[in-house]
Structure formats: structure tokens, C-alpha cells
Amino acid sequence: MPTPDTIAIETRILPADATGLAAAAAMFARGGLVAFPTETVYGLGADASNAAAIARLYQAKGRPAFNPLIAHVADLAAARRIGRFDDAAERLAAAFWPGPLTLVVAQADGCPVADLATAGLDTVAIRIPSHPVARALLAAFGGAVVAPSANVSGHVSPTTAAHVATDLAGRIDLILDGGAVDVGVESTIIGCFDVPTLLRPGGVPSEAIEALLGRPLARPGIAEAHAAEQPLAPGMLASHYAPRAAVRLEATEVGPGEALLAFGPATLPGAEQAAAILNLSPSADPAEAATHLFGYLRSLDAKGAHSIAVMPIPNDGLGEAINDRLRRAAAPR
């Protein structure tokens, strides 16, 4: 069911056999979107290192918000390539992977997961799924895959390939049909911080995790999570990525010494005195802007300007998510 801000494409449905798995892995490598079964529901996957593919994923799901996405990997060796595992994380991974447990850890040096998937955080959420089709697909692809549920945002999560097609036919490239999946709760999310923290209850009971670690988990409430200085998990903070520089939205001019985050072919009065200028999309393409958003914020912040002036961005389609993310960057902290 394409919407005005998406382009209708042919969505193939293939069985989850050797041919289908090879086609799905090749589609990831080309920047395509593939729905595939996990142990709970069908996920909508994209190459975790490909910001353009991730922007398409947000767009396909409709009315997106740039929350961090979970990177799914085939094995612990692959997980260690993207995240740094402390003692608690190593013990949890050994005990509960593969399975419905997500670990939020510090990014490894050279972590290939795109900023758009981590929402600009210095942490990354990682999981090894237990579904045999998911594991075979990840092994065939050889990289990390981000995969929220394969449905339009706000709709019921899909448990069959037909459910996925009802929502996403014409929006994604391929659906890998592995039959009906068991309906279960989402993965438990544990933040592997100084004090291991329960960020979301789920498929692995918190009691089992506490028994393994020999200590209680921290359990921040919503208010505490919003007040915390360290980002914790998807959607838990009003400000996910807070640059050192102040962020000034809906700018109509550039002040002396400000950096400019531009959008579209026009510029603003005072741009000639900007400390630095980066344009999210000279052609005013929201999908292109989404792929640059977090990296450009970081780059402008590194210039040392006291403030980043942000040009107005239309709130249509992916623009809604871009503006949501920019409001979070500009939130008081």
C-alpha cells in the first residue's frame, strides 16, 4: 500500500530455501529491504552499515521516528566487531544467545553500523536471533542487519509472510517466506553500563538475568530515564544526541560564528560568516537528508561553533522524523 511519499516497487515473495536466502542476502548487499522471520514476528531488514537503505526502511514503515534500531548478527564474533563487551555482556551473551535478548554496549572502534541506525549514540544495540531462517540469512549476508517489525507503524505485528505483504507490498523489495512464526514478546533489552540496567522487559526473564549476574538490575522509571545524562535505549530520552553546540531550529538567518545545517538549494542571510556549512540535501530530498543527519551534526559540532543554525525542513514524509530528531538534539540538557 504505497503512500504519496513512497515509490511503488515490485515486491517478490520467495520461500526460505537456499535460493531464497541467497537472493535475500544479495538484496541486502544492494541496499534493498527484506522481510524475514524471527522467533517472535517478521522483521524488516536492511544492511546496518547502509544509511540510505535504513532511510528507506523508515520510509517504508511510515510516519517514522529516528529511534535506535537493533543490529542483528549471526554469531558472537560478528557482535564483537560492532560492540565492546564487558564482563557482564560476555556472560549474558554466553548464557542467552541466540535468543530474545538485546544488549546495549559501547560501540567498537570502527563500528560499521550507520549513525542513522544508532540515532547518533555512542552505544549500539545487538542481538543474535534464534530462528533458523534468520540465522541462515545473517550468515549468508555476512554483516549486521537492522530489523524492526515488518509492518506499517501502528499496525499489528506480522506473523506470516502474507501479513507482511498486506502492509508492505509495493514498499519493500523482498519477503522471505519462512512460514508462520511463534508470537512472543519482544526481546529483553539490557544496558551494559556501569550498573547493568533493564531497559525493556521481554523474552528473557529479568530474574534469570539477575541470577546469572548475581546482582539486581537497575530499573529506571520513565522520568528517571528522561532525566539521565547517558542515553539508555531506543526512545527513552528527549535528547538522544546532544551536541556540545546549541541547536537552533527554524533558523531564518545565520549569526556570527554559528555553523549552518542547510536544506535545499537556497541559503540564509549571514551564511557567508558561518563557521561551517553542511547541506543535508541540496535538492531538498528528505531521504537524502536522513542519511546525512547524524553525521553532519557530529561534523558541525566538531568545528567548535557555539551554535548550529538549522534551516526549516518540511514536515512531510521523512521530514517528520528528521524534525523529531532535530527537536531532540535541541532539547534542554
Side-chain angles (χ1 to χ4, degrees):
M1 52 170 70
T3 60
D5 62 340
T6 60
I7 299 174
I9 59 176
E10 179 185 359
T11 300
R12 292 187 296 159
I13 302 178
L14 296 178
D17 54 17
T19 300
L21 288 166
M27 185 61 70
F28 282 146
R30 294 199 300 272
L33 303 182
V34 178
F36 61 94
T38 75
E39 59 265 39
T40 54
V41 299
Y42 273 71
L44 177 58
D47 177 358
S49 68
N50 188 329
I54 296 165
R56 280 191 62 209
L57 185 154
Y58 281 118
Q59 195 168 35
K61 283 181 66 70
R63 298 183 62 85
F66 291 155
N67 288 324
L69 299 174
I70 297 171
H72 297 67
V73 294
D75 52 40
L76 189 54
R80 291 194 182 107
R81 286 194 287 272
I82 63 176
R84 294 203 299 268
F85 283 65
D86 61 12
D87 178 67
E90 290 282 0
R91 293 167 63 193
L92 290 170
F96 299 112
W97 278 354
L101 176 68
T102 294
L103 300 179
V104 178
V105 299
Q107 291 187 30
D109 293 340
C111 174
V113 176
D115 278 346
L116 192 58
T118 64
L121 301 178
D122 294 325
T123 55
V124 60
I126 310 174
R127 181 166 96 85
I128 300 177
S130 62
H131 194 286
V133 172
R135 297 195 69 193
L137 176 57
L138 290 166
F141 174 56
V145 169
V146 292
S149 58
N151 58 285
V152 170
S153 292
H155 287 195
V156 177
S157 294
T159 58
T160 68
H163 293 164
V164 178
T166 298
D167 263 20
L168 298 179
R171 299 185 183 208
I172 67 175
D173 301 288
L174 178 62
I175 301 170
L176 200 58
D177 188 352
V181 300
D182 295 332
V183 182
V185 295
E186 297 172 309
S187 63
T188 303
I189 301 181
I190 299 296
C192 297
F193 311 135
D194 290 340
V195 177
T197 303
L198 177 66
L199 303 178
R200 183 181 72 186
V204 177
S206 59
E207 295 84 357
I209 294 170
E210 290 174 331
L212 178 77
L213 296 178
R215 62 185 301 180
L217 294 167
R219 298 167 183 260
I222 300 260
E224 293 168 290
H226 278 265
E229 292 186 2
Q230 179 173 0
L232 299 179
M236 294 190 71
L237 292 181
S239 178
H240 283 312
Y241 171 60
R244 292 181 297 274
V247 176
R248 187 168 65 85
L249 305 180
E250 302 291 330
T252 56
E253 79 290 323
V254 182
E258 280 193 310
L260 173 61
L261 187 62
F263 178 80
T267 189
L268 295 181
E272 68 281 355
Q273 62 185 349
I277 299 175
L278 289 174
N279 196 320
L280 291 170
S281 174
S283 63
D285 177 6
E288 181 185 17
T291 67
H292 293 151
L293 179 61
F294 297 111
Y296 281 12
L297 277 173
R298 287 179 183 271
S299 294
L300 290 177
D301 198 28
K303 299 296 183 181
H306 61 82
S307 178
I308 300 172
V310 182
M311 288 179 63
I313 297 171
N315 212 44
D316 302 326
L318 277 175
E320 180 181 31
I322 293 168
N323 284 319
D324 170 82
R325 190 62 195 84
L326 286 168
R327 283 191 295 270
R328 294 173 186 271
R333 64 261 184 183

